[in-house]
């Protein structure tokens, strides 16, 4: 693992119709969408870590505490500055600041955890199996109850 507190990166993107609140469904105006900003923040953290972790040890986002404080219209340029501020075993904390040519657009923190790919995906698969099992059980129970209700009519 070759990461250090103070590592930083900056990503830039243009505000286009595809990343507006209107298009994302997070609002009705043609301005930079909060979900687009969150995506840029996560991309920044992931790119900052690219090639610095052991093989088979990606990170997953676990927490975002972000304030979206200013609107940027289509045609504006967004910059996300992301710096690693804390390493606590497998927990990584990033300070992020998003700006446009007028100033601050967003600010906050983002947390990611380093995971082992294989066990993580095995656990995710087991969760899906349990969800499907629960859904099937719930459907069968609903059918049973409906059947009982019909018998009492």
């Amino acid at each position: 693992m070759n990461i250090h507190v103070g590592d930083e990166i900056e990503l830039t993107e243009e505000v286009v119709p595809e990343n507006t609140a209107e298009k994302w469904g997070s609002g009705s105006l043609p301005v930079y969408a909060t979900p687009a900003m969150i995506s840029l923040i996560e991309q920044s953290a992931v790119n900052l870590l690219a090639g610095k972790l052991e093989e088979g040890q990606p990170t997953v986002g676990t927490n975002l505490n972000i304030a979206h404080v200013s609107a940027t219209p289509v045609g504006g340029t967004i910059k996300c500055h992301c710096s690693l501020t804390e390493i606590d075993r497998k927990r990584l904390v990033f300070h992020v600041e998003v700006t446009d040519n007028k100033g601050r657009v967003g600010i906050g923190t983002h947390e990611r955890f380093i995971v082992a790919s294989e066990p993580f995906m095995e656990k995710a698969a087991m969760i899906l199996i349990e969800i499907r099992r629960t859904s099937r059980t719930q459907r069968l129970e609903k059918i049973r109850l409906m059947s009982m209700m019909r018998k009492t009519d």
Side-chain angles (χ1 to χ4, degrees):
M1 188 164 74
N2 187 25
I3 56 174
H4 306 91
V5 168
D7 288 351
E8 57 188 8
I9 193 171
E10 187 172 276
L11 293 187
T12 303
E13 75 177 354
E14 298 299 314
V15 180
V16 294
E18 291 75 28
N19 60 14
T20 63
E22 184 176 48
K23 184 69 170 188
W24 278 76
S26 63
S28 59
L29 300 174
V31 295
Y32 193 57
T34 301
M37 182 175 71
I38 297 304
S39 179
L40 182 63
I41 288 167
E42 292 214 73
Q43 289 171 36
S44 297
V46 168
N47 287 1
L48 175 61
L49 299 171
K52 296 181 179 181
L53 300 175
E54 301 298 321
E55 185 70 30
Q57 300 243 310
T59 61
V60 294
T62 55
N63 194 343
L64 286 154
N65 183 7
I66 307 297
H68 192 168
V69 299
S70 181
T72 305
V74 171
T77 300
I78 297 290
K79 291 182 183 178
C80 178
H81 184 264
C82 175
S83 59
L84 182 58
T85 57
E86 186 180 344
I87 302 171
D88 180 12
R89 296 172 298 229
K90 294 181 181 278
R91 181 175 155 269
L92 309 174
V93 179
F94 303 86
H95 172 76
V96 294
E97 183 169 8
V98 180
T99 59
D100 62 15
N101 62 342
K102 293 285 189 180
R104 183 177 289 160
V105 173
I107 190 163
T109 58
H110 175 41
E111 177 184 274
R112 301 187 72 78
F113 270 82
I114 300 168
V115 298
S117 293
E118 227 173 276
F120 185 87
M121 292 309 298
E122 287 170 5
K123 184 176 178 182
M126 294 306 292
I127 290 169
L128 181 58
I129 289 168
E130 185 59 33
I131 288 169
R132 287 181 177 158
R133 182 180 301 133
T134 301
S135 295
R136 183 174 186 275
T137 302
Q138 288 171 342
R139 284 192 309 266
L140 291 173
E141 180 63 16
K142 186 175 180 180
I143 291 168
R144 186 184 71 77
L145 289 172
M146 288 173 66
S147 176
M148 287 175 55
M149 289 172 66
R150 283 189 199 126
K151 289 178 183 176
T152 60
D153 287 344

